[in-house]
Amino acid sequence: MSTAVREPENPAAPAPDVARRRRGIDDWRPEDTTFWEQGGARIARRNLVYSVLSEHIGFSVWSLWSVLVLFLGPEYHIDPAGRFTLTALPTALGAVLRLPYTFAVARFGGRNWTVFSALLLLVPTVLAGIVLEPGVSYGTLLAVACVAGVGGGNFASSMANINAFYPQRLKGWALGINAGGGNLGVPAVQLLGLLILATAGAAHPRLLPLVYLPLIILAALASALRMDNLTALRGDGMAMREVTRNPHTWVMAVLYIGTFGSFIGFGFAFGQVLQVQFHEQFDTPVKAAYLTFLGPLLGSLVRPVGGLLADRWGGARVTLWNFAAMAAGALVVLTASREKSLPLFIAGFVALFVLSGIGNGSTYRMIPAIFRAQARKAVDAGADPDAAERDSRRHASAVIGIAGAIGAFGGVLVNIAFRQSFLTTHNGNAAYLAFLACYAGCLALTWAVYVRPAASRLSGV
């Protein structure tokens, strides 16, 4: 019989607010239902709200150049390949920063790092507001676009932090809400860009980054006043080193390339793809902007649904069927591209955005479930239940950071695939075929490691 991993119940312990000192919580036992109902749930929800706010703005800053490239007319002398490079660079830096950002939560505390990382968003927004004018060198634009990648790191630290606040039974919902609210920053900045294009015109790209300056300050101030540090996470830098030896870390990272990599890569590139592949219908930036935000919006809104479905049916099973549907969606896009059918093309791409959002939620739900199952096995082998539970949380938070970083590189690969496809064949068919192969590979990997009967019993997911 399996022994349940649990944290000790202690009804006599002080409520969480009493145990908090200097915005740091020393006693945090979310699996203890008494503790959770007497105040833990309220504190977790409060931290979730302000985490979503900061992460949302981080995603907007990260995605800034997916909109700004639509403002760069002929006077900037940048060809389509150069535009795809401008959107690939912030994606790449954001991916790299996700690893240290995850570590930073353990080193500095969730609240402290949220405040600092929010304030850091001022750098790319101010720089973009300064340099965006005709005559600026392409190298300068590349450097400033790259700096916007700091917004991509916020996701990893936010997810690692919120993962520690919630009990196992609510992780899918909480991580889905946190990630979905953050992902909404992509369509939000694209809607703002559309508003500026439709009102002020393409000659005023500086207005877009300047809108975010007061919002960044507001997010940092709110986080400083309303969030908490979980002191149990402090000094836990060894967790990331430990999980690099676990094969599930790398399997989940590959699966996240297929889900989040698709979402962020398509989010950055979709507007350009419409302008280049269907240039007759989208001969002005405003026309492309009208559709650019739709896919990221729907993909963000359904991300919590992926977590909820995974809570109910199991993350591996939901992820498997989701990759099957994504492969079908990529086939629809490829067919539409060959037939030059704009309605079918848009429908296929919107479906890919929605499915990538569902997959984001289900794959992230798999991570804590995997380490929870491993903790149960450790207890069955004689390990201390409390220590096994703590290790489960530490390792899940670390893998969330690693998978998030590697998954974000999928967005870089998406932009590179589009760049090379349009350079060589003047259409995106080669890229769409590559996406189809990627989803088929992820489906096979999910089945082999987690869904087939022998693997399911082994992993416990």
Side-chain angles (χ1 to χ4, degrees):
M1 179 180 293
S2 175
T3 303
V5 177
R6 62 178 180 85
E7 299 187 19
E9 294 190 7
N10 184 8
D17 276 332
V18 177
R20 188 170 69 227
R21 298 183 181 91
R22 297 186 303 275
R23 309 302 297 179
I25 300 177
D26 299 318
D27 177 27
W28 189 252
R29 294 171 283 113
E31 302 297 343
D32 181 337
T33 55
T34 301
F35 178 93
W36 184 253
E37 293 170 359
Q38 288 182 350
R42 175 171 50 82
I43 290 176
R45 284 194 299 269
R46 186 182 68 232
N47 279 270
L48 176 61
V49 167
Y50 293 99
S51 175
V52 167
L53 174 63
S54 179
E55 186 191 345
H56 176 92
I57 296 176
F59 260 95
S60 290
V61 172
W62 192 23
S63 308
L64 198 60
W65 285 84
S66 70
V67 183
L68 290 178
V69 293
L70 300 178
F71 286 84
L72 305 182
E75 65 274 17
Y76 286 87
H77 307 291
I78 304 174
D79 62 13
R83 293 168 186 264
F84 282 117
T85 304
L86 279 172
T87 55
L89 281 179
T91 315
L93 182 61
V96 170
L97 289 179
R98 287 187 167 196
L99 287 176
Y101 269 56
T102 302
F103 176 82
V105 171
R107 177 66 180 84
F108 301 106
R111 166 192 169 269
N112 297 345
W113 188 254
T114 300
V115 174
F116 174 79
S117 61
L119 290 174
L120 194 59
L121 299 174
L122 292 171
V123 176
T125 52
V126 169
L127 288 176
I130 292 173
V131 306
L132 277 169
E133 60 180 357
V136 63
S137 70
Y138 182 62
T140 299
L141 291 177
L142 287 176
V144 174
C146 186
V147 175
V150 298
N154 288 28
F155 173 82
S157 55
S158 177
M159 293 292 278
N161 188 43
I162 292 304
N163 177 66
F165 272 97
Y166 274 83
Q168 184 73 19
R169 67 184 185 278
L170 297 177
K171 283 186 185 294
W173 173 84
L175 294 177
I177 291 293
N178 191 58
N183 289 171
L184 280 170
V186 179
V189 72
Q190 291 171 345
L191 279 170
L192 279 173
L194 171 60
L195 179 62
I196 292 171
L197 281 169
T199 55
H204 300 281
R206 292 176 172 178
L207 293 177
L208 183 58
L210 294 180
V211 166
Y212 277 92
L213 293 179
L215 299 178
I216 292 169
I217 295 172
L218 175 64
L221 181 61
S223 299
L225 295 175
R226 300 294 294 163
M227 291 186 72
D228 303 284
N229 296 314
L230 291 183
T231 55
L233 289 178
R234 301 292 288 270
D236 193 24
M238 288 297 295
M240 190 169 291
R241 183 179 302 176
E242 292 167 2
V243 298
T244 58
R245 299 190 290 268
N246 191 318
H248 289 290
T249 300
W250 307 111
V251 173
M252 293 309 304
V254 171
L255 298 183
Y256 206 56
I257 288 175
T259 56
F260 181 74
S262 296
F263 174 84
I264 198 64
F266 295 155
F268 276 50
F270 188 44
Q272 298 177 76
V273 171
L274 288 176
Q275 280 196 299
V276 176
Q277 186 149 355
F278 295 92
H279 55 87
E280 293 181 357
Q281 294 94 330
F282 299 97
D283 55 344
T284 67
V286 176
K287 291 181 179 179
Y290 273 121
L291 288 174
T292 297
F293 74 93
L294 180 61
L297 175 64
L298 295 176
S300 300
L301 291 175
V302 301
R303 181 160 185 162
V305 175
L308 288 171
L309 290 174
D311 282 338
R312 180 175 178 84
W313 302 107
R317 185 177 300 176
V318 173
T319 299
L320 177 79
W321 287 107
N322 192 73
F323 276 126
M326 290 184 75
L331 182 60
V332 169
V333 171
L334 176 61
T335 302
S337 176
R338 288 175 171 172
E339 298 297 325
K340 296 180 172 33
S341 171
L342 178 59
L344 187 62
F345 185 84
I346 293 174
F349 246 115
V350 169
L352 283 176
F353 272 112
V354 171
L355 293 166
S356 69
I358 293 173
N360 284 340
S362 64
T363 50
Y364 253 34
R365 178 61 180 85
M366 290 173 66
I367 293 173
I370 289 168
F371 288 96
R372 182 78 168 184
Q374 292 185 347
R376 290 195 182 96
K377 293 177 183 178
V379 171
D380 289 342
D384 176 68
D386 298 336
E389 177 66 28
R390 286 193 299 271
D391 285 344
S392 169
R393 291 178 177 277
R394 292 169 56 244
H395 293 160
S397 293
V399 173
I400 282 173
I402 293 175
I406 296 176
F409 270 112
V412 182
L413 297 176
V414 166
N415 279 272
I416 291 175
F418 277 129
R419 182 182 187 276
Q420 292 306 117
S421 185
F422 282 112
L423 270 177
T424 56
T425 64
H426 305 291
N427 60 54
N429 294 350
Y432 309 137
L433 189 60
F435 302 151
L436 174 59
C438 172
Y439 302 144
C442 288
L443 183 152
L445 183 62
T446 305
W447 179 84
V449 179
Y450 298 114
V451 177
R452 65 187 176 93
S456 180
R457 288 194 297 272
L458 181 64
S459 67
V461 178

